[in-house]
Each structure stands twice: as C-alpha cells, then as structure tokens.
C-alpha cells in the first residue's frame, strides 16, 4: 500500500485559478488519506467546509511601525518553518514562484531538517510578475532551488525553458476541474432571471478586469453581434479596469444591455447559466475559466494564445481567434447563439472533454507521482551529503 504523505500547500487564498487548483488538489489528496496542511494568509476561498485530514494554518500579519508595510514574506516563511516542524511534513508544495517558493526555500534553510519543495508555476508569476529583471533573477533562483517544478501547460513549460535558465526537471500537469461542483445541474431559473430577461441569451465574461484580460474586446465583440437573438452581456467579477469598461459601454450606447455582477463567491452558479463564454485574454498559461465553462456545458469563444489551445477543442467545444479579432469573435458567438441545438452540442462536447482530459482523479495521481519523484530526488541528495 502507498505510504500516506504529510503535505504542506502554500497558495494564494483569494479568488483565482491558482487558488482553486491548489484547493481542489488538497481536497483530493485528503480524500485519498494524505494529510494536507494549507498555509496562507487567509482561508483559501474554495476551502469552505471542514474536511478530514485537512488543516489550515493562517499566516499572522506582522506589523512594526518601523517598516512601511506588513512583513508578509517573513511571516509566511516563519509559518512554514513552524508547520513543517510541528507536523513533520514530508514536502512543501508552493503554488507560485514568488513569493511562495522563495519563502519555502528560506524555510527549508531555517528548519531543523531540510524538506523537498515542489513549485508549481501558474503563469502570471513568470510571464507578468517575473519579467522585471531583478525579479527574474529571484524567479530563476527559486525555481532552481525547488526539488521539482510543475507547470500547467506544455506552452508554459516551453516558455520557462526559453526565458529562464532553469536546471530542474519541469513536469506538466494540466489543470483540472471538479465536475460535480462545476456542472450544468446548476442551471437555475431564478438566478438566470436576476441576470437577464427570459427572452435574452447570456454572453458571459468572467474576469479580474486587469489589462491582460482584454475586456475591451469583449465589449467590442458584443456590440458587433449579428444574430437575430436578443443577447445580454453579463460581466462577472471586478478589478482595476471595470470603470473603463463601463465608460466604453456608455460610449457605445449599450450600457442597458450589460449586467455587472461585481465579485461573486460561487462563480460556477453564474457560469452554468450562460449560453456562451467569451475570454479574449492576451496571456493565459491555461485559463481555468474556459475549463469551468466546459464543465458546466457552456461553449466558449476565446483568444488562441499561450496554453488555451491545449484546453479548447477548436470547432468542437468552442472557437479560438486572435485576441484583437472582435469581429471574428462576434461571428463565432452569433453562430453559436443562433442555434440552440448547436449551442448544446458544443456545450456537451465541452463537458465530456472536461471529464475525460482534465479529470480530477487522474491529475491528483499525476501530482502524487511528482511528489514521489521529489522525495526520491531529495532522498538521493540527502544521501549524497
Ligand atoms: O492571471 C490570473 O488571472 C490569475 C492567475 C492565478 O493565479 O489564478 O492565473 C494563472 O493561473 C491559472 C491557474 O493555473 C491559469 O488558469 C491562468 O491562465 C494563469 N494566468 C495567466 O497565465 C495570465
């Protein structure tokens, strides 16, 4: 029988793909009998219920008047040291290179015993944050100090290999989705009526409204729709560009056809009630929202950048176009929304692909293989010492 592991997971607790993946992973591991310790400055947003074998350790905020801001990275490092020693963790899995993997490295040098580190690169940490020269060196360092690196798409592995001088093995484990949580069973007339009129189809965009999400193209595509159907644009989420988007809608005179939901907790309840999802991002190592829509049986129209072609089955689950091609996206959306049978056929294919290609059980076993590989590498280096 496979040994039960004691695993520390360090992740961003706030709403976002990396936090969702880290939490689904922790829950899946705990269901297999492994002991999982989440270490974060807040309870991860998807870790809602109490679970057997799961512990949450909140990182205390340390504030001294001498310093201008709170000492997040040091308090996280201190918490990792404390949890590793108290619970005798076998390994720490850091989601994001900076600061999480770097803190884990620091902790492993402070702890009474050295422990192996798995670092998962989710994308933003190396494509956006990591582009600054000084930070790039920290990123390279923290990746090279990890026992094993994983990342969420083949694109992302190639990007790391091209852009960083990394010597460590990089395993690709595609993201995955809990298809019991994200399901067409969440179609809900009352919620749908709160978003759109009964005779309107719903085109949805889910975002943190940052520049890379390219939301202006969502609005441009929506304003060019040519199908006879009445369509409402539902923008889910919040972020720095939201006011600019509202102004753009006003200027195009379409504000009355747009619903802004603001930040929502259970995004799956919203996505399941969409007729089509649009995500024209400039960058996406993977794009969890597309997978979430597929699991909910919703066809997608998206950009064709980075890791997205590994998620979407072109023409089968949705359509991909260059990020700036608002007109092409409008044509694709009109084509989908004009025919309900076709819309459902694409949605059904998406759900089947989510269940077969991005299956939770399979991906958790792939992560377990990574952990065993990590422990073997660490064991060898410990013996070599
Ligand atoms: O960039 C974001 O929107 C947030 C970030 C995150 O941490 O949630 O997203 C990154 O990780 C996700 C989970 O692996 C991926 O699905 C996103 O594509 C990736 N974002 C980028 O690469 C820009």
């Amino acid at each position: 029988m496979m040994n039960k592991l004691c695993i520390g997971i360090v992740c961003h607790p706030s709403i976002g793909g990396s936090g969702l993946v880290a939490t689904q992973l922790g829950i899946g591991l705990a269901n297999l009998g492994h002991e999982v310790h989440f270490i974060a400055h807040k309870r991860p947003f998807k870790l809602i219920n109490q679970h057997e074998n799961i512990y949450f350790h909140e990182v205390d905020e340390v504030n001294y008047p001498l310093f201008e801001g709170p000492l997040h990275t040091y308090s996280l490092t201190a918490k990792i040291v404390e949890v590793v020693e108290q619970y005798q963790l076998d390994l720490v899995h850091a989601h994001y290179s900076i600061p999480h993997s770097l803190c884990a490295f620091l902790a492993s040098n402070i702890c009474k015993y050295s422990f192996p580190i798995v670092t998962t690169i989710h994308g933003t940490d190396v494509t956006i944050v990591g582009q600054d020269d000084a930070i790039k060196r920290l990123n390279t360092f923290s990746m090279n100090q990890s026992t094993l690196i994983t990342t969420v798409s083949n694109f992302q592995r190639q990007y790391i290999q091209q852009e960083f001088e990394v010597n460590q093995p990089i395993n690709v484990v595609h993201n995955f989705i809990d298809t019991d949580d994200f399901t067409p069973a969440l179609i809900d007339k009352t919620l749908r009526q709160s978003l759109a009129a009964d005779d309107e189809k719903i085109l949805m965009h889910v975002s943190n409204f940052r520049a890379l999400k390219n939301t202006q193209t969502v609005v441009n595509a929506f304003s060019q729709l040519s199908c006879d159907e009445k369509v409402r644009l539902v923008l889910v989420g919040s972020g720095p560009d939201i006011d600019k988007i509202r102004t753009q809608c006003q200027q195009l005179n379409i504000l009355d056809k747009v619903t802004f939901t603001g930040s929502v907790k259970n995004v799956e309840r919203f996505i399941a009630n969409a007729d089509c999802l649009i995500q024209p991002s400039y960058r996406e190592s993977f794009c969890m929202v597309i997978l979430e829509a597929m699991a909910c049986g919703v066809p997608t129209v998206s950009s064709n950048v980075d890791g997205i072609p590994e998620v979407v089955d072109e023409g089968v689950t949705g359509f991909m176009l260059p990020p700036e091609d608002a007109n092409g996206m409008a044509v694709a959306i009109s084509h989908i929304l004009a025919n309900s049978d076709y819309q459902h056929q694409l949605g059904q294919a998406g759900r089947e692909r989510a269940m077969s290609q991005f299956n939770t059980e399979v991906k958790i076993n792939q992560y377990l293989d990574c952990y065993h590989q990590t422990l073997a590498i660490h064991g060898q280096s410990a013996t070599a010492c």
Side-chain angles (χ1 to χ4, degrees):
M1 207 180 87
M2 194 186 272
N3 281 347
K4 298 299 177 203
L5 297 175
C6 206
I7 303 152
I9 292 185
V10 184
C11 65
H12 284 300
S14 46
I15 293 175
S18 65
L20 170 64
V21 171
T23 306
Q24 291 187 145
L25 172 62
I27 294 173
L29 291 166
N31 288 341
L32 292 176
H34 301 283
E35 190 175 300
V36 177
H37 295 262
F38 282 95
I39 306 170
H41 59 265
K42 260 190 341 212
R43 197 175 172 86
F45 78 102
K46 269 284 170 189
L47 192 61
I48 300 158
N49 304 318
Q50 299 297 326
H51 293 262
E52 205 178 332
N53 302 329
I54 291 190
Y55 301 79
F56 167 59
H57 307 275
E58 187 166 340
V59 177
D60 319 299
E61 199 166 280
V62 181
N63 266 308
Y64 288 108
L66 180 64
F67 303 109
E68 290 210 343
L71 303 177
H72 285 311
T73 49
Y74 300 111
S75 42
L76 173 59
T77 304
K79 188 56 90 177
I80 298 173
V81 172
E82 181 190 312
V83 175
V84 167
E85 287 183 349
Q86 187 177 347
Y87 295 91
Q88 302 282 297
L89 300 190
D90 293 303
L91 61 93
V92 169
H93 185 169
H95 291 260
Y96 260 64
S97 167
I98 294 176
H100 298 160
S101 173
L102 207 49
C103 293
F105 167 72
L106 198 52
S108 79
N109 281 272
I110 297 170
C111 264
K112 289 193 187 116
Y113 67 97
S114 93
F115 55 84
I117 301 165
V118 176
T119 297
T120 294
I121 302 297
H122 280 275
T124 324
D125 42 357
V126 294
T127 49
I128 312 292
V129 185
Q131 278 316 299
D132 175 273
D133 269 353
I135 299 291
K136 197 167 180 178
R137 286 193 64 185
L138 298 193
N139 254 328
T140 309
F141 178 82
S142 73
M143 283 193 271
N144 279 327
Q145 296 306 322
S146 308
T147 320
L148 183 87
I149 302 165
T150 80
T151 193
V152 300
S153 61
N154 294 316
F155 161 82
Q156 197 59 36
R157 171 163 60 186
Q158 209 177 3
Y159 180 90
I160 299 167
Q161 285 166 337
Q162 271 165 10
E163 297 286 321
F164 295 85
E165 281 174 35
V166 169
N167 316 314
Q168 299 306 86
I170 308 177
N171 292 5
V172 174
V173 183
H174 283 107
N175 285 335
F176 54 97
I177 193 76
D178 184 333
T179 48
D180 292 333
D181 266 1
F182 288 80
T183 159
L186 290 171
I187 292 175
D188 168 0
K189 207 169 167 205
T190 315
L191 183 100
R192 202 188 150 92
Q193 281 171 340
S194 72
L195 301 173
D198 285 348
D199 61 347
E200 284 176 320
K201 292 246 175 178
I202 294 181
L203 174 65
M204 190 172 282
H205 171 70
V206 181
S207 178
N208 48 22
F209 294 89
R210 286 182 294 136
L212 75 85
K213 297 294 172 183
N214 187 17
T215 312
Q216 69 276 12
T217 295
V218 171
V219 176
N220 286 335
F222 176 66
S223 69
Q224 291 174 38
L225 289 184
S226 58
C227 57
D228 293 333
E229 304 291 324
K230 280 178 80 178
V231 186
R232 171 160 286 271
L233 176 62
V234 177
L235 298 175
V236 180
S238 187
D241 284 354
I242 200 85
D243 290 336
K244 250 193 331 207
I245 295 303
R246 211 183 286 273
T247 307
Q248 186 189 359
C249 294
Q250 231 154 14
Q251 284 162 350
L252 289 168
N253 212 13
I254 54 169
L255 199 53
D256 60 332
K257 293 182 186 149
V258 184
T259 301
F260 292 81
T261 67
S263 276
V264 300
K265 267 214 172 119
N266 299 316
V267 77
E268 57 275 23
R269 290 184 54 232
F270 289 79
I271 296 176
N273 288 285
D275 294 292
C276 181
L277 181 92
I278 173 169
Q279 298 297 135
S281 304
Y282 291 117
R283 301 233 65 144
E284 288 292 353
S285 63
F286 184 91
C287 198
M288 272 308 275
V289 177
I290 292 181
L291 180 57
E292 290 168 2
M294 285 163 56
C296 290
V298 176
T300 63
V301 172
S302 67
S303 55
N304 54 3
V305 301
D306 299 356
I308 293 181
E310 295 171 48
V311 185
V312 175
D313 191 352
E314 173 67 18
V316 178
T317 66
F319 296 94
M320 292 176 288
L321 292 126
E324 298 283 4
D325 188 358
N327 186 255
M329 290 189 197
V331 171
I333 295 161
S334 300
H335 183 50
I336 295 170
L337 297 184
N339 181 337
S340 291
D341 289 343
Y342 183 52
Q343 178 191 321
H344 288 124
Q345 181 191 320
L346 292 168
Q348 183 57 32
R351 174 135 179 105
E352 278 162 22
R353 183 168 166 78
M355 292 174 97
S356 61
Q357 301 301 305
F358 304 100
N359 179 282
T360 304
E361 218 173 291
V362 173
K363 299 297 165 194
I364 286 172
N365 278 314
Q366 285 182 11
Y367 272 115
L368 274 171
D369 288 345
C370 293
Y371 294 164
H372 287 291
Q373 194 183 338
T374 302
L375 290 167
I377 298 171
H378 187 71
Q380 280 160 13
S381 61
T383 318
C385 292

Short mmCIF file of all heavy atoms in Angstrom, two decimals, residues 152-156 158 172 174-175 279-288 290-291 294 300-323 353 357-358:
data_model
loop_
_atom_site.label_atom_id
_atom_site.label_comp_id
_atom_site.label_asym_id
_atom_site.label_seq_id
_atom_site.Cartn_x
_atom_site.Cartn_y
_atom_site.Cartn_z
N VAL A 152 1.39 24.18 -15.72
CA VAL A 152 0.01 23.78 -16.03
C VAL A 152 -0.27 23.59 -17.52
O VAL A 152 -1.40 23.27 -17.88
CB VAL A 152 -0.98 24.81 -15.41
CG1 VAL A 152 -0.82 24.88 -13.90
CG2 VAL A 152 -0.79 26.21 -16.01
N SER A 153 0.73 23.80 -18.38
CA SER A 153 0.53 23.52 -19.81
C SER A 153 1.88 23.31 -20.48
O SER A 153 2.92 23.71 -19.95
CB SER A 153 -0.22 24.67 -20.50
OG SER A 153 0.52 25.87 -20.40
N ASN A 154 1.84 22.67 -21.65
CA ASN A 154 3.09 22.46 -22.41
C ASN A 154 3.65 23.81 -22.82
O ASN A 154 4.86 24.01 -22.82
CB ASN A 154 2.81 21.61 -23.64
CG ASN A 154 2.39 20.21 -23.24
OD1 ASN A 154 2.99 19.60 -22.35
ND2 ASN A 154 1.34 19.70 -23.85
N PHE A 155 2.73 24.74 -23.18
CA PHE A 155 3.18 26.09 -23.55
C PHE A 155 4.04 26.67 -22.42
O PHE A 155 5.12 27.21 -22.63
CB PHE A 155 1.99 27.02 -23.83
CG PHE A 155 2.40 28.46 -23.73
CD1 PHE A 155 3.03 29.08 -24.80
CD2 PHE A 155 2.27 29.16 -22.53
CE1 PHE A 155 3.49 30.38 -24.69
CE2 PHE A 155 2.73 30.47 -22.42
CZ PHE A 155 3.35 31.08 -23.51
N GLN A 156 3.52 26.57 -21.19
CA GLN A 156 4.18 27.21 -20.06
C GLN A 156 5.55 26.59 -19.78
O GLN A 156 6.50 27.28 -19.43
CB GLN A 156 3.27 27.14 -18.83
CG GLN A 156 3.63 28.10 -17.72
CD GLN A 156 3.60 29.55 -18.17
OE1 GLN A 156 2.76 29.93 -18.96
NE2 GLN A 156 4.53 30.34 -17.67
N GLN A 158 7.52 25.25 -22.06
CA GLN A 158 8.41 25.74 -23.11
C GLN A 158 8.84 27.19 -22.82
O GLN A 158 10.00 27.55 -22.99
CB GLN A 158 7.67 25.70 -24.42
CG GLN A 158 8.56 25.50 -25.59
CD GLN A 158 7.73 25.40 -26.88
OE1 GLN A 158 6.51 25.54 -26.87
NE2 GLN A 158 8.40 25.18 -27.97
N VAL A 172 4.72 18.68 -16.65
CA VAL A 172 3.46 19.34 -16.96
C VAL A 172 2.31 18.54 -16.35
O VAL A 172 2.17 17.35 -16.61
CB VAL A 172 3.25 19.46 -18.50
CG1 VAL A 172 1.87 20.02 -18.81
CG2 VAL A 172 4.34 20.34 -19.11
N HIS A 174 -1.59 19.33 -16.38
CA HIS A 174 -2.63 20.28 -16.76
C HIS A 174 -3.59 20.50 -15.58
O HIS A 174 -3.79 19.60 -14.77
CB HIS A 174 -3.42 19.74 -17.97
CG HIS A 174 -2.66 19.91 -19.26
ND1 HIS A 174 -2.08 18.85 -19.92
CD2 HIS A 174 -2.40 21.01 -20.01
CE1 HIS A 174 -1.49 19.31 -21.03
NE2 HIS A 174 -1.66 20.61 -21.09
N ASN A 175 -4.17 21.68 -15.55
CA ASN A 175 -5.17 21.95 -14.51
C ASN A 175 -6.37 21.03 -14.67
O ASN A 175 -6.55 20.41 -15.72
CB ASN A 175 -5.61 23.41 -14.59
CG ASN A 175 -4.55 24.33 -14.03
OD1 ASN A 175 -3.75 23.92 -13.19
ND2 ASN A 175 -4.54 25.58 -14.47
N GLN A 279 -13.64 34.89 -23.61
CA GLN A 279 -12.40 35.19 -22.87
C GLN A 279 -11.29 35.52 -23.88
O GLN A 279 -10.60 34.62 -24.36
CB GLN A 279 -11.98 33.98 -22.02
CG GLN A 279 -12.95 33.54 -20.93
CD GLN A 279 -13.21 34.53 -19.83
OE1 GLN A 279 -14.35 34.76 -19.44
NE2 GLN A 279 -12.15 35.14 -19.31
N PRO A 280 -11.11 36.81 -24.21
CA PRO A 280 -10.11 37.15 -25.23
C PRO A 280 -8.74 37.53 -24.68
O PRO A 280 -8.04 38.35 -25.28
CB PRO A 280 -10.77 38.35 -25.92
CG PRO A 280 -11.56 39.00 -24.84
CD PRO A 280 -11.90 37.98 -23.79
N SER A 281 -8.30 36.93 -23.58
CA SER A 281 -7.05 37.32 -22.89
C SER A 281 -5.85 37.41 -23.84
O SER A 281 -5.75 36.65 -24.80
CB SER A 281 -6.68 36.29 -21.83
OG SER A 281 -7.71 36.12 -20.93
N TYR A 282 -4.93 38.32 -23.48
CA TYR A 282 -3.66 38.41 -24.22
C TYR A 282 -2.70 37.31 -23.77
O TYR A 282 -1.83 36.89 -24.52
CB TYR A 282 -2.99 39.76 -23.97
CG TYR A 282 -3.73 40.91 -24.59
CD1 TYR A 282 -4.27 41.92 -23.81
CD2 TYR A 282 -3.88 40.99 -25.97
CE1 TYR A 282 -4.94 42.99 -24.38
CE2 TYR A 282 -4.55 42.06 -26.56
CZ TYR A 282 -5.07 43.06 -25.76
OH TYR A 282 -5.74 44.11 -26.33
N ARG A 283 -2.82 36.91 -22.50
CA ARG A 283 -1.95 35.87 -21.95
C ARG A 283 -2.79 34.93 -21.10
O ARG A 283 -3.64 35.39 -20.35
CB ARG A 283 -0.87 36.46 -21.03
CG ARG A 283 0.04 37.45 -21.66
CD ARG A 283 1.46 37.06 -21.45
NE ARG A 283 1.76 35.81 -22.13
CZ ARG A 283 2.93 35.56 -22.70
NH1 ARG A 283 3.89 36.42 -22.65
NH2 ARG A 283 3.16 34.40 -23.30
N GLU A 284 -2.55 33.63 -21.20
CA GLU A 284 -3.16 32.65 -20.30
C GLU A 284 -2.33 31.37 -20.39
O GLU A 284 -2.29 30.74 -21.44
CB GLU A 284 -4.60 32.27 -20.71
CG GLU A 284 -5.68 33.28 -20.49
CD GLU A 284 -6.03 33.60 -19.04
OE1 GLU A 284 -5.53 32.95 -18.11
OE2 GLU A 284 -6.82 34.54 -18.87
N SER A 285 -1.68 31.01 -19.29
CA SER A 285 -0.94 29.75 -19.32
C SER A 285 -1.89 28.58 -19.53
O SER A 285 -1.54 27.54 -20.07
CB SER A 285 -0.20 29.56 -18.00
OG SER A 285 -1.14 29.46 -16.95
N PHE A 286 -3.15 28.76 -19.09
CA PHE A 286 -4.14 27.68 -19.19
C PHE A 286 -5.54 28.25 -19.42
O PHE A 286 -6.19 27.97 -20.39
CB PHE A 286 -4.09 26.85 -17.89
CG PHE A 286 -5.00 25.64 -17.93
CD1 PHE A 286 -4.52 24.42 -18.36
CD2 PHE A 286 -6.32 25.73 -17.53
CE1 PHE A 286 -5.36 23.31 -18.42
CE2 PHE A 286 -7.16 24.63 -17.56
CZ PHE A 286 -6.67 23.42 -18.00
N CYS A 287 -6.02 29.05 -18.51
CA CYS A 287 -7.35 29.68 -18.48
C CYS A 287 -8.39 28.77 -17.85
O CYS A 287 -9.17 28.09 -18.54
CB CYS A 287 -7.82 30.18 -19.84
SG CYS A 287 -9.17 31.38 -19.63
N MET A 288 -8.41 28.79 -16.52
CA MET A 288 -9.35 27.96 -15.76
C MET A 288 -10.80 28.27 -16.10
O MET A 288 -11.64 27.37 -16.09
CB MET A 288 -9.13 28.18 -14.26
CG MET A 288 -8.09 27.30 -13.63
SD MET A 288 -8.30 25.55 -13.95
CE MET A 288 -9.46 25.07 -12.67
N ILE A 290 -12.20 28.96 -18.84
CA ILE A 290 -12.68 28.21 -20.02
C ILE A 290 -13.01 26.77 -19.60
O ILE A 290 -14.06 26.23 -19.97
CB ILE A 290 -11.61 28.24 -21.15
CG1 ILE A 290 -11.48 29.66 -21.70
CG2 ILE A 290 -11.98 27.26 -22.26
CD1 ILE A 290 -10.47 29.82 -22.83
N LEU A 291 -12.12 26.19 -18.79
CA LEU A 291 -12.39 24.81 -18.34
C LEU A 291 -13.65 24.76 -17.47
O LEU A 291 -14.45 23.82 -17.56
CB LEU A 291 -11.17 24.26 -17.59
CG LEU A 291 -11.29 22.83 -17.06
CD1 LEU A 291 -11.63 21.84 -18.17
CD2 LEU A 291 -10.01 22.40 -16.34
N MET A 294 -16.55 24.80 -19.79
CA MET A 294 -16.71 23.50 -20.44
C MET A 294 -17.39 22.51 -19.49
O MET A 294 -18.31 21.79 -19.88
CB MET A 294 -15.33 22.97 -20.88
CG MET A 294 -14.79 23.68 -22.12
SD MET A 294 -13.00 23.45 -22.36
CE MET A 294 -12.82 21.69 -22.41
N THR A 300 -17.43 28.05 -25.60
CA THR A 300 -16.55 29.20 -25.34
C THR A 300 -16.03 29.80 -26.65
O THR A 300 -15.80 29.09 -27.63
CB THR A 300 -15.33 28.78 -24.49
OG1 THR A 300 -14.55 27.82 -25.22
CG2 THR A 300 -15.75 28.17 -23.17
N VAL A 301 -15.85 31.12 -26.62
CA VAL A 301 -15.17 31.83 -27.70
C VAL A 301 -14.02 32.56 -27.01
O VAL A 301 -14.25 33.30 -26.05
CB VAL A 301 -16.11 32.81 -28.41
CG1 VAL A 301 -15.34 33.69 -29.40
CG2 VAL A 301 -17.21 32.04 -29.15
N SER A 302 -12.80 32.33 -27.48
CA SER A 302 -11.65 32.87 -26.73
C SER A 302 -10.53 33.25 -27.68
O SER A 302 -10.60 33.00 -28.89
CB SER A 302 -11.13 31.80 -25.77
OG SER A 302 -10.59 30.73 -26.51
N SER A 303 -9.48 33.82 -27.07
CA SER A 303 -8.26 34.05 -27.84
C SER A 303 -7.56 32.69 -28.00
O SER A 303 -7.90 31.71 -27.33
CB SER A 303 -7.37 35.04 -27.11
OG SER A 303 -7.13 34.60 -25.80
N ASN A 304 -6.56 32.71 -28.88
CA ASN A 304 -5.85 31.45 -29.19
C ASN A 304 -4.42 31.49 -28.65
O ASN A 304 -3.53 30.91 -29.24
CB ASN A 304 -5.83 31.24 -30.70
CG ASN A 304 -5.25 32.45 -31.44
OD1 ASN A 304 -4.81 33.41 -30.78
ND2 ASN A 304 -5.24 32.42 -32.75
N VAL A 305 -4.22 32.21 -27.52
CA VAL A 305 -2.85 32.43 -27.05
C VAL A 305 -2.37 31.35 -26.07
O VAL A 305 -3.18 30.64 -25.47
CB VAL A 305 -2.73 33.81 -26.36
CG1 VAL A 305 -3.09 34.93 -27.31
CG2 VAL A 305 -3.61 33.88 -25.11
N ASP A 306 -1.06 31.28 -25.92
CA ASP A 306 -0.37 30.50 -24.88
C ASP A 306 -0.92 29.08 -24.72
O ASP A 306 -0.89 28.29 -25.66
CB ASP A 306 -0.43 31.27 -23.54
CG ASP A 306 0.26 32.64 -23.58
OD1 ASP A 306 0.84 32.97 -24.64
OD2 ASP A 306 0.21 33.37 -22.59
N GLY A 307 -1.48 28.78 -23.52
CA GLY A 307 -1.95 27.41 -23.27
C GLY A 307 -3.40 27.16 -23.65
O GLY A 307 -3.88 26.03 -23.53
N ILE A 308 -4.10 28.18 -24.13
CA ILE A 308 -5.54 28.00 -24.40
C ILE A 308 -5.81 26.89 -25.44
O ILE A 308 -6.73 26.08 -25.24
CB ILE A 308 -6.22 29.35 -24.79
CG1 ILE A 308 -6.20 30.28 -23.57
CG2 ILE A 308 -7.64 29.14 -25.29
CD1 ILE A 308 -6.87 31.64 -23.79
N PRO A 309 -4.99 26.79 -26.52
CA PRO A 309 -5.26 25.70 -27.47
C PRO A 309 -5.13 24.29 -26.86
O PRO A 309 -5.58 23.32 -27.46
CB PRO A 309 -4.19 25.92 -28.55
CG PRO A 309 -3.85 27.37 -28.47
CD PRO A 309 -3.95 27.72 -27.01
N GLU A 310 -4.52 24.18 -25.68
CA GLU A 310 -4.47 22.86 -25.02
C GLU A 310 -5.76 22.57 -24.26
O GLU A 310 -6.00 21.44 -23.83
CB GLU A 310 -3.26 22.80 -24.07
CG GLU A 310 -1.93 22.89 -24.80
CD GLU A 310 -0.72 23.05 -23.89
OE1 GLU A 310 -0.59 22.31 -22.90
OE2 GLU A 310 0.11 23.95 -24.18
N VAL A 311 -6.57 23.59 -24.06
CA VAL A 311 -7.82 23.42 -23.30
C VAL A 311 -9.00 23.25 -24.26
O VAL A 311 -9.79 22.31 -24.13
CB VAL A 311 -8.06 24.65 -22.37
CG1 VAL A 311 -9.28 24.43 -21.49
CG2 VAL A 311 -6.83 24.93 -21.51
N VAL A 312 -9.07 24.14 -25.23
CA VAL A 312 -10.22 24.15 -26.15
C VAL A 312 -10.01 23.15 -27.28
O VAL A 312 -8.90 23.04 -27.80
CB VAL A 312 -10.38 25.57 -26.76
CG1 VAL A 312 -11.48 25.60 -27.81
CG2 VAL A 312 -10.63 26.60 -25.67
N ASP A 313 -11.05 22.43 -27.66
CA ASP A 313 -11.00 21.61 -28.88
C ASP A 313 -11.70 22.44 -29.96
O ASP A 313 -12.93 22.55 -29.97
CB ASP A 313 -11.71 20.27 -28.62
CG ASP A 313 -11.47 19.27 -29.74
OD1 ASP A 313 -10.90 19.66 -30.78
OD2 ASP A 313 -11.88 18.10 -29.57
N GLU A 314 -10.88 23.07 -30.82
CA GLU A 314 -11.38 24.04 -31.80
C GLU A 314 -12.52 23.46 -32.65
O GLU A 314 -12.39 22.39 -33.25
CB GLU A 314 -10.21 24.48 -32.69
CG GLU A 314 -10.55 25.36 -33.88
CD GLU A 314 -11.08 26.76 -33.50
OE1 GLU A 314 -10.88 27.19 -32.36
OE2 GLU A 314 -11.71 27.38 -34.37
N GLY A 315 -13.63 24.18 -32.68
CA GLY A 315 -14.78 23.77 -33.50
C GLY A 315 -15.61 22.69 -32.85
O GLY A 315 -16.69 22.34 -33.33
N VAL A 316 -15.13 22.10 -31.76
CA VAL A 316 -15.85 21.00 -31.09
C VAL A 316 -16.44 21.48 -29.75
O VAL A 316 -17.60 21.22 -29.44
CB VAL A 316 -14.91 19.79 -30.87
CG1 VAL A 316 -15.63 18.67 -30.13
CG2 VAL A 316 -14.36 19.29 -32.21
N THR A 317 -15.60 22.21 -28.98
CA THR A 317 -16.11 22.73 -27.68
C THR A 317 -16.26 24.25 -27.73
O THR A 317 -16.85 24.84 -26.84
CB THR A 317 -15.14 22.37 -26.53
OG1 THR A 317 -13.90 23.07 -26.73
CG2 THR A 317 -14.85 20.88 -26.47
N GLY A 318 -15.64 24.87 -28.75
CA GLY A 318 -15.68 26.33 -28.85
C GLY A 318 -14.81 26.80 -29.99
O GLY A 318 -14.37 25.99 -30.82
N PHE A 319 -14.55 28.10 -30.02
CA PHE A 319 -13.77 28.68 -31.11
C PHE A 319 -12.69 29.60 -30.55
O PHE A 319 -12.91 30.29 -29.55
CB PHE A 319 -14.67 29.48 -32.05
CG PHE A 319 -15.68 28.60 -32.73
CD1 PHE A 319 -16.95 28.43 -32.21
CD2 PHE A 319 -15.33 27.91 -33.90
CE1 PHE A 319 -17.86 27.58 -32.82
CE2 PHE A 319 -16.24 27.07 -34.52
CZ PHE A 319 -17.50 26.91 -33.98
N MET A 320 -11.52 29.61 -31.23
CA MET A 320 -10.41 30.47 -30.79
C MET A 320 -10.02 31.40 -31.93
O MET A 320 -9.96 30.97 -33.09
CB MET A 320 -9.20 29.62 -30.43
CG MET A 320 -9.39 28.79 -29.19
SD MET A 320 -7.96 27.72 -28.88
CE MET A 320 -8.13 26.49 -30.16
N LEU A 321 -9.74 32.65 -31.56
CA LEU A 321 -9.34 33.67 -32.56
C LEU A 321 -8.23 34.52 -31.97
O LEU A 321 -8.02 34.51 -30.76
CB LEU A 321 -10.56 34.54 -32.89
CG LEU A 321 -11.64 33.75 -33.64
CD1 LEU A 321 -12.96 33.86 -32.94
CD2 LEU A 321 -11.73 34.17 -35.09
N PRO A 322 -7.55 35.31 -32.80
CA PRO A 322 -6.54 36.21 -32.23
C PRO A 322 -7.21 37.18 -31.25
O PRO A 322 -8.36 37.57 -31.46
CB PRO A 322 -5.98 36.95 -33.46
CG PRO A 322 -6.30 36.05 -34.62
CD PRO A 322 -7.59 35.35 -34.27
N PRO A 323 -6.48 37.59 -30.19
CA PRO A 323 -7.10 38.39 -29.12
C PRO A 323 -7.81 39.66 -29.58
O PRO A 323 -8.80 40.06 -28.99
CB PRO A 323 -5.93 38.74 -28.21
CG PRO A 323 -4.82 37.85 -28.57
CD PRO A 323 -5.07 37.26 -29.91
N ARG A 353 -15.19 16.67 -22.59
CA ARG A 353 -13.73 16.89 -22.63
C ARG A 353 -13.21 17.24 -21.22
O ARG A 353 -12.14 16.77 -20.82
CB ARG A 353 -13.42 18.03 -23.61
CG ARG A 353 -11.95 18.30 -23.79
CD ARG A 353 -11.69 19.22 -24.98
NE ARG A 353 -10.35 19.76 -24.98
CZ ARG A 353 -9.26 19.10 -25.34
NH1 ARG A 353 -9.37 17.85 -25.76
NH2 ARG A 353 -8.07 19.66 -25.29
N GLN A 357 -10.36 14.72 -20.21
CA GLN A 357 -8.99 15.23 -20.35
C GLN A 357 -8.49 15.98 -19.12
O GLN A 357 -7.29 16.16 -18.96
CB GLN A 357 -8.89 16.17 -21.56
CG GLN A 357 -9.28 15.53 -22.87
CD GLN A 357 -8.41 14.32 -23.17
OE1 GLN A 357 -7.21 14.42 -23.19
NE2 GLN A 357 -9.03 13.16 -23.37
N PHE A 358 -9.40 16.49 -18.32
CA PHE A 358 -8.98 17.32 -17.17
C PHE A 358 -9.61 16.76 -15.90
O PHE A 358 -10.20 17.48 -15.10
CB PHE A 358 -9.36 18.79 -17.43
CG PHE A 358 -8.78 19.31 -18.72
CD1 PHE A 358 -9.56 19.39 -19.87
CD2 PHE A 358 -7.44 19.67 -18.80
CE1 PHE A 358 -9.02 19.83 -21.07
CE2 PHE A 358 -6.88 20.11 -20.00
CZ PHE A 358 -7.67 20.19 -21.13
#
